[in-house]
Amino acid sequence: MLMHSITWSSLKAWGVKLMKTKGRPRAIVAVARKIAAVLNRMRAGGTEFRLGSEAAA
C-alpha cells in the first residue's frame, strides 16, 4: 500500500506521515493492522467495501 500504490488515499497519506516520524517498518505494520481492522469490521457487519465519500454517508 505504501510503496506500490500509485493512487493517493487518506490511508496512504497517514502511512507516509507515520513513516517519516516512526520509520518504514513500523509504518508498514501500522497500515497493515489498520487494513486488517477494516476488513474484520466489514466481515463482522456483513457490509461491502465502497470507495469514496458515499462510504461515509
Side-chain angles (χ1 to χ4, degrees):
M1 174 74 191
L2 290 175
M3 304 305 145
H4 299 290
S5 176
I6 296 172
T7 58
W8 198 254
S9 66
S10 59
L11 181 61
K12 183 171 182 167
W14 178 78
V16 169
K17 181 180 171 186
L18 198 61
M19 194 182 329
K20 290 179 182 177
T21 59
K22 300 291 184 183
R24 184 176 178 208
R26 278 187 165 180
I28 290 171
V29 171
V31 169
R33 281 185 60 125
K34 188 171 266 206
I35 291 171
V38 169
L39 290 174
N40 188 32
R41 240 358 252 159
M42 287 171 50
R43 184 185 58 83
T47 59
E48 294 182 9
F49 179 75
R50 290 175 287 169
L51 181 65
S53 60
E54 69 181 51

